[in-house]
Amino acid sequence: MTGLASAFRTLGALAVAGLFAVTAAVPSVAVPSARATPEPKAPKEFVALSSVDRTIIQEMRYTTEHNFVGEPIDGYRQPLCILTRPAAEALHRAQVKLLARGYSLKVYDCYRPQRAVDHFVRWAKDLDDERMKKEFYPLVEKSRLFADGYIAEKSGHSRGSTVDLTIVKLPAEPTRPYVPGEPLVECYAPRAERFPDNSVDMGTGFDCFDTLSHTDDGRIQGAQRANRQLLRSTLAEQGFVNLPEEWWHFTFKPEPFPSTFFDFLVARRSVAGH
């Protein structure tokens, strides 16, 4: 038995030695310790518009495929209008005035992340992608979008006090959903022919890349001109300045962040607790 026990001890020692040898031969694998960088939150000066005024209609186009690119835009996680608090409170004051006259504001876009602007720039450089041309830029060559000022590498929207909006006559009928691939109609076509919008008739649709979108274009007359003037005068009383090339584009002055371009997501968590 003594010899047998000795043999077992010898075999055990050899097995352990072999195990150590195999372990030593296997290269060590580094375990990654870095974590994904968390998304930044909005500064405390930003709020969801709905927390200031729940009556303003929100139709956030860039979360959908119904825009000049034809797909949801980077950085828009939820259909939510985010603005600096002074801009949101000024919109509330304008809304009170309009409600008394039987109208409501409707926003199409508010704060816009820099990554969304970068998405626009990439799209504009891809001259082969013209899936939405017939509606949004029927008379403009895509190669001219930068030169003509329709697309830029920075946007005032990213500073948080610029908003794209219109007026809706109350009671508001809902705008029907856009169906990807449906036939497109020029954005400057008569209201009954272009894509339906519950907005009053402004002469063109939102984001129409055409000189007819210039707020004071002389070809816009009658009720269309009166509607543009109502929007501009109502917002001007509250400190908003219109961009002359776009009847829908307004910036609250003075801006809390006149030279900062933010890139936090359009999402409720970006302004949670504000």
Side-chain angles (χ1 to χ4, degrees):
M1 290 296 295
T2 302
L4 185 59
S6 177
F8 278 126
R9 284 197 297 271
T10 301
L11 287 173
L14 290 173
V16 171
L19 177 61
F20 280 129
V22 170
T23 304
V26 176
S28 60
V29 178
V31 178
S33 58
R35 295 181 179 178
T37 304
E39 286 286 349
K41 285 195 65 175
K44 60 181 177 58
E45 291 86 352
F46 283 79
V47 294
L49 175 61
S50 58
S51 70
V52 176
D53 192 313
R54 292 185 176 277
T55 67
I56 296 175
I57 301 167
Q58 298 190 30
E59 186 181 311
M60 308 303 290
R61 288 286 185 88
Y62 297 139
T63 64
T64 76
E65 294 174 287
H66 189 218
N67 58 65
F68 59 86
V69 176
E71 62 191 21
I73 305 303
D74 292 352
Y76 288 85
R77 294 291 177 86
Q78 293 170 316
L80 180 71
C81 175
I82 294 175
L83 288 168
T84 58
R85 183 175 290 278
E89 291 176 346
L91 280 189
H92 166 67
R93 295 191 297 270
Q95 176 75 342
V96 171
K97 299 279 189 180
L98 287 172
L99 288 175
R101 300 180 61 173
Y103 294 97
S104 174
L105 291 171
K106 180 174 79 169
V107 294
Y108 294 113
D109 190 37
C110 302
Y111 157 74
R112 180 183 303 165
Q114 180 60 44
R115 72 191 76 184
V117 180
D118 296 342
H119 191 166
F120 292 163
V121 170
R122 292 194 306 274
W123 166 83
K125 292 178 178 178
D126 180 4
L127 301 184
D128 294 327
D129 183 355
E130 293 190 329
R131 73 189 99 161
M132 303 300 284
K133 177 177 175 61
K134 185 174 181 181
E135 179 175 351
F136 291 96
Y137 54 106
L139 298 180
V140 181
E141 292 299 322
K142 194 173 182 184
S143 60
R144 295 284 308 170
L145 292 181
F146 285 103
D148 291 350
Y150 293 110
I151 299 293
E153 295 187 352
K154 294 289 183 181
S155 169
H157 283 273
S158 301
R159 301 194 296 262
S161 296
T162 294
V163 59
D164 294 336
L165 73 174
T166 189
I167 292 174
V168 174
K169 180 69 175 173
L170 297 174
E173 295 292 332
T175 298
R176 74 161 175 83
Y178 167 74
V179 179
E182 71 176 84
L184 302 177
V185 178
E186 293 86 351
C187 54
Y188 50 71
R191 184 170 186 250
E193 298 176 17
R194 62 181 183 259
F195 185 83
D197 190 322
N198 60 4
S199 165
V200 299
D201 189 2
M202 293 291 189
T204 77
F206 165 61
D207 262 356
C208 186
F209 294 178
D210 192 275
T211 54
L212 280 170
S213 293
H214 293 188
T215 307
D216 291 320
D217 188 282
R219 294 167 291 177
I220 302 298
Q221 294 295 325
Q224 297 172 342
R225 190 172 191 85
N227 289 334
R228 291 187 183 191
Q229 291 174 342
L230 175 60
L231 178 63
R232 180 169 58 182
S233 62
T234 302
L235 292 177
E237 290 176 357
Q238 307 304 330
F240 285 93
V241 177
N242 175 239
L243 178 68
E245 291 78 19
E246 299 177 351
W247 60 258
W248 55 82
H249 181 118
F250 291 84
T251 300
F252 178 76
K253 302 287 186 176
E255 294 184 64
F257 300 100
S259 58
T260 305
F261 298 86
F262 295 95
D263 193 39
F264 56 85
L265 293 171
V266 177
R268 290 181 181 84
R269 68 172 180 267
S270 295
V271 290
H274 292 197

